[in-house]
Amino acid sequence: MPHASSPSSSPRPLRLARLLLPFGLLLLVSLLVLHGRPPGTRPGQSGTDPAALFLSLSPGANASIAADLLTLTSGPHLAGTPGAAGVAAYVLSRLRAAGLRTLTREYAPLLSYRAHASLALLAADRSLLAHLSTDEPADPGRRVVRPYHAYAPSGAAVAEAVFVNLGREEDLAALDRLGVSLRGRVAVAVRGGGYRGGVVARAAGRGAVAVLIAGRADGGVERGTVLLGGPGDPLTPGWAAADGAERLGFDHEAVRRRFPTIPSMPVSADTASAIVRSLGGPALPAEWRAGLGLEGHAGGVGPGPTLVNFTYQEDRKMATIKDIFAVIKGREEPDRYVILGNHRDAWTYGAVDPNSGTAALLDVARRLGIMLRSGWTPRRTIILCSWDAEEFGMIGSTEWVEENLGDLQSKAVAYLNVDCAVQGMGLFAGSTPQLDKLLIDVTRQVKDPDVEGKTVHDTWSTMNGGINIERLARTDSDFAPFLHHAGIPCVDLYYGKEFPGYHTALDSYIWMEKHGDPLFLRHLAITEIWGLLALRLANDLVLPFDYHTYASQLQEHTNVLADRMNNSQSVSVINGFINDLSSAATEVQKEAKELKLLDIHDGRGLIRRRLLNDRLLLAERSFLHAEGLQGRTWYKHLMYSPPEDYESELSFFPGIADAISRRGNQSTRQRQAAVRQELWRVAMAIQRAANVLRGEFGAHNKPINFSVSMAP
């Protein structure tokens, strides 16, 4: 791929003309919407379908999305840097231009930047062999922030190096079999071993003194955070980093465990290759050679005979970040919130991550603004959110959720997240299970951007051999505080499974225009799916939640767990509570059908619908545990928080996953007791959800036997 470090360059005239050709239709459609309706008709209130109105505003929208993305990516805009202010001002101006009421909220978290870094290769006698670059080949002009790992501590090392492949547990075990120790050495890894912070933590646990993580052969070097233990400002765990807030000291245990204990840094593939090619020691496994293009290399994994001289100096500082909101107040239920969010801060230019999503959010705002001016208003309040400092660990969204936790837990209907809206072909989606059917229904209404005559649903199903919806147990985007901490139903949407230029200087408008989405039709599809989801959740008389799907998904999880634990009796007991949840879902479904038939203006019906909707939105909160997970109290969701072990095979029931993986010095009896406690907590949470759906107090008097049998 050609070098693409100048996204401010204008797109080719013919391509831009092709995009802008339909752009003039926007004004025409807007005029038709505003002035072409019959007198007295209020869209969304007197027969006009809000979804049809929203989709009628699609012609030419891909051109306006492209124009927004071009402006958003005209320069780098990492949170807390001067470039961030310009992007914030642009987003705020576009939301106001849409006619929406806007709000901002500032926080002052601890952010982390690169102050200095150096790297050299030395002979065994410590004489200089070569200075090694710490820059990114894809950014020769140094226009963007130089590669670094946020929150990596300052440090220096002159030590032998060891190549650890991807830095996974299985790779470290392979080194053990070769008789190679990491103690006192620099670990050199190839990106791809899961969360980069986990790679560093595993190496530190084996005694490494520093970690270098190689970029790709295309010249990109992936920046990113290595903060441990969850999202949010590390000095204010559980409360907002507002002015005047209490902040923990760096010597506090809750703070210390958030930071890696050794320095680390991303480096180019060429730099890493130069180090690995100098190593001796046991022969390099054949399957490890491809990551650095070492297929013909006959060297070893190390250690020695060369030394690596590495220094890194971190610049930690309190920085001001700004979240931006646009609020459309609901007509009948203004105290119920449907929340859409995207972060706007980027490690580099951010054409994919995250401003493809920002441009989509601005188009959702544009359409909703036109609909408001036409007379439509939603039943429930819609909040559009532009988060700051996501790249440092979902800080903007986490601080806002922590500050407004009470309101959100009692009033939020759902959170709909779009981060990297477009990074390739094909829809990928994650959600909490009660939103699956809604998501599937909406994709049937949206034209596929790549296949003529097909809907997104058609190609989504074909691509995966059936609809595949991920469960959101990861912590890599802004849904994390909403789901894992607050228990709010969530959706996460994106096009394209992965992006090779992730967090590199290659994430530019030029890449998007040439490769990612030349006609911006995938952006258009994401915008339509996002907006239609919001309209259904904001307008449906009865919330479109399906807890049958939730019960079915929990049953699948339990079946997997039973295989892992030799079909223990305790897992069978959980099945009984899942059956109860399924029965409650059936009762709710029947009640919802009855309520939909009542006169929309009937007072008693309004109250009954309100009560049912409250039970539907609060059922997800039942999966929270007030004390949180053992040793990780910020994470409170017992079904879908991330497990402690970054390489865990279980992406559900995190407390159980943690208890299984924490071997340490525990006896079998102690481990079984820990697992038994976590099984009990999961079972009780499922029972709570069933009770909430029914609107009843718990009445389960049957004795429960949690005997545990685990595989060795």
Side-chain angles (χ1 to χ4, degrees):
M1 181 166 61
H3 170 62
S5 62
S6 301
S8 60
S9 302
S10 298
R12 287 178 299 210
L14 287 177
R15 182 163 289 167
L16 186 58
R18 185 168 44 171
L19 281 171
L20 292 176
L21 184 61
F23 186 63
L25 291 174
L26 284 170
L27 290 176
L28 178 59
V29 171
S30 299
L31 289 172
L32 289 172
V33 169
L34 288 171
H35 303 295
R37 56 187 171 86
T41 300
R42 302 190 69 194
Q45 298 176 19
S46 301
T48 303
D49 179 12
L53 186 56
F54 186 86
L55 292 175
S56 75
L57 299 172
S58 291
N62 58 325
S64 65
I65 291 170
D68 279 332
L69 187 63
L70 183 61
T71 301
L72 290 164
T73 59
S74 61
H77 46 282
L78 183 62
T81 66
V87 173
Y90 181 77
V91 169
L92 192 59
S93 70
R94 295 288 285 121
L95 293 174
R96 288 173 175 167
L100 306 184
R101 182 170 71 93
T102 59
L103 304 167
T104 62
R105 182 69 173 102
E106 293 186 349
Y107 299 101
L110 178 75
L111 300 187
S112 169
Y113 303 92
R114 166 176 166 165
H116 171 75
S118 66
L119 192 60
L121 191 62
L122 308 180
D125 62 2
R126 300 202 172 200
S127 61
L128 178 67
L129 293 177
H131 289 291
L132 300 177
S133 174
T134 62
D135 287 327
E136 180 178 26
D139 181 35
R142 292 187 183 176
R143 289 200 61 205
V144 299
V145 63
R146 298 171 75 180
Y148 78 102
H149 285 156
Y151 303 105
S154 299
V158 179
E160 295 173 319
V162 172
F163 182 49
V164 299
N165 193 31
L166 300 178
R168 301 165 299 183
E169 199 62 49
E170 65 186 82
D171 298 320
L172 302 183
L175 290 174
D176 288 341
R177 292 192 294 271
L178 292 172
V180 175
S181 171
L182 276 182
R183 186 160 300 281
R185 288 162 177 152
V186 175
V188 180
V190 175
R191 185 72 181 104
Y195 176 51
R196 67 189 73 80
V199 173
V200 175
R202 284 191 289 272
R206 297 295 188 100
V209 294
V211 176
L212 303 174
I213 301 181
R216 294 169 54 91
D218 58 12
V221 178
E222 182 188 307
R223 299 143 182 85
T225 181
V226 288
L227 198 65
L228 303 170
D233 173 41
L235 303 186
T236 58
W239 64 93
D243 286 342
E246 177 191 7
R247 286 175 169 79
L248 302 181
F250 287 104
D251 59 346
H252 194 287
E253 174 59 26
V255 174
R256 282 206 315 271
R257 65 177 179 230
R258 296 291 305 279
F259 294 94
T261 57
I262 59 174
S264 66
M265 191 173 164
V267 296
S268 70
D270 287 346
T271 291
S273 178
I275 296 172
V276 175
R277 287 179 182 278
S278 74
L279 299 179
L284 192 67
E287 62 272 20
W288 288 18
R289 296 172 185 168
L292 287 175
L294 299 171
E295 286 82 356
H297 178 59
V301 297
T306 55
L307 302 173
V308 169
N309 185 354
F310 171 52
T311 62
Y312 178 72
Q313 185 176 344
E314 179 195 18
D315 179 19
R316 290 182 186 173
K317 58 186 177 183
M318 312 301 290
T320 299
I321 65 170
K322 179 183 288 187
D323 291 341
I324 299 171
F325 308 92
V327 180
I328 302 171
K329 193 171 183 178
R331 185 176 68 251
E332 283 89 0
E333 300 180 69
D335 59 340
R336 293 295 179 264
Y337 311 142
V338 176
I339 307 169
L340 290 71
N342 158 267
H343 76 94
R344 66 179 184 278
D345 62 302
W347 280 109
T348 62
Y349 304 112
V352 169
D353 182 12
N355 298 130
S356 59
T358 309
L361 184 73
L362 294 179
D363 194 62
V364 171
R366 176 190 67 81
R367 297 184 194 213
L368 295 180
I370 293 172
M371 292 170 67
L372 281 171
R373 292 192 294 276
S374 75
W376 166 86
T377 52
R379 174 175 298 276
R380 304 176 187 94
T381 294
I382 297 174
I383 305 174
L384 309 180
C385 310
S386 174
W387 309 116
D388 203 356
E390 187 270 358
E391 298 294 9
F392 289 89
M394 285 64 69
I395 290 181
S397 57
T398 299
E399 302 313 302
W400 188 73
V401 168
E402 290 174 344
E403 184 172 44
N404 298 282
L405 187 61
D407 257 3
L408 291 170
Q409 286 193 319
S410 61
K411 300 174 182 176
V413 172
Y415 174 71
L416 311 177
N417 188 68
V418 173
D419 189 333
C420 304
V422 179
Q423 52 189 14
M425 179 181 287
L427 178 68
F428 291 83
S431 77
T432 45
Q434 75 274 61
L435 293 171
D436 284 6
K437 285 191 175 179
L438 172 63
L439 179 57
I440 291 168
D441 286 347
V442 162
T443 60
R444 290 190 171 101
Q445 297 177 258
V446 177
K447 294 178 182 178
D448 187 84
D450 297 298
V451 183
E452 186 72 26
K454 297 289 185 179
T455 66
V456 169
H457 175 271
D458 295 335
T459 54
W460 186 19
S461 179
T462 301
M463 178 182 67
N464 295 302
I467 296 298
N468 180 30
I469 300 176
E470 180 193 7
R471 299 302 162 221
L472 299 174
R474 50 189 169 87
T475 308
D476 59 358
S477 195
D478 290 301
F479 58 79
F482 287 90
L483 178 58
H484 305 151
H485 191 66
I488 294 166
C490 287
V491 170
D492 185 49
L493 301 169
Y494 54 102
Y495 250 83
K497 187 172 184 179
E498 58 186 22
F499 169 50
Y502 179 70
H503 288 185
T504 76
L506 298 171
D507 187 5
S508 69
Y509 182 88
I510 290 177
W511 182 89
M512 182 65 74
E513 194 239 12
K514 288 184 176 180
H515 305 285
D517 194 12
L519 294 179
F520 287 81
L521 295 178
R522 295 170 190 162
H523 284 77
L524 188 62
I526 282 285
T527 299
E528 292 177 348
I529 296 168
W530 203 4
L532 294 181
L533 285 171
L535 289 172
R536 285 286 307 276
L537 290 164
N539 288 326
D540 279 16
L541 292 176
V542 176
L543 290 175
F545 288 180
D546 174 32
Y547 279 92
H548 270 302
T549 303
Y550 218 128
S552 297
Q553 181 67 89
L554 293 177
Q555 185 64 67
E556 289 183 25
H557 296 336
T558 304
N559 293 342
V560 172
L561 188 63
D563 290 341
R564 177 72 182 266
M565 299 177 65
N566 291 331
N567 293 299
S568 67
Q569 182 180 354
S570 47
V571 174
S572 298
V573 171
I574 292 179
N575 289 338
F577 292 104
I578 293 173
N579 291 337
D580 194 37
L581 178 62
S582 183
S583 296
T586 299
E587 296 166 22
V588 163
Q589 193 174 57
K590 181 179 179 182
E591 183 180 355
K593 288 181 180 178
E594 293 174 357
L595 291 175
K596 289 176 184 177
L597 298 175
L598 295 179
D599 185 343
I600 190 173
H601 301 296
D602 175 69
R604 188 167 179 271
L606 287 172
I607 294 173
R608 288 182 61 195
R609 277 194 295 269
R610 171 81 168 193
L611 292 173
L612 174 58
N613 285 334
D614 282 354
R615 284 149 47 203
L616 288 167
L617 70 86
L618 291 174
E620 185 73 48
R621 316 310 190 247
S622 304
F623 298 126
L624 302 179
H625 193 280
E627 296 176 3
L629 300 179
Q630 298 288 340
R632 301 188 297 139
T633 58
W634 187 90
Y635 290 109
K636 301 187 183 299
H637 204 287
L638 298 183
M639 309 296 130
Y640 293 122
S641 292
E644 183 177 45
D645 180 1
Y646 294 111
E647 295 189 77
S648 174
E649 295 178 359
L650 297 180
S651 59
F652 49 84
F653 303 160
I656 299 174
D658 290 352
I660 292 173
S661 65
R662 287 175 185 162
R663 293 179 175 87
N665 297 320
Q666 290 183 332
S667 67
T668 300
R669 178 174 294 182
Q670 288 172 323
R671 288 180 60 210
Q672 288 180 341
V675 172
R676 184 166 55 247
Q677 181 184 20
E678 295 301 332
L679 286 164
W680 179 84
R681 296 212 296 177
V682 166
M684 293 301 97
I686 296 170
Q687 182 65 64
R688 285 196 302 271
N691 291 337
V692 168
L693 282 178
R694 291 191 175 101
E696 299 175 352
F697 291 111
H700 199 296
N701 297 315
K702 182 179 178 180
I704 303 170
N705 178 21
F706 281 101
S707 61
V708 176
S709 163
M710 293 192 302

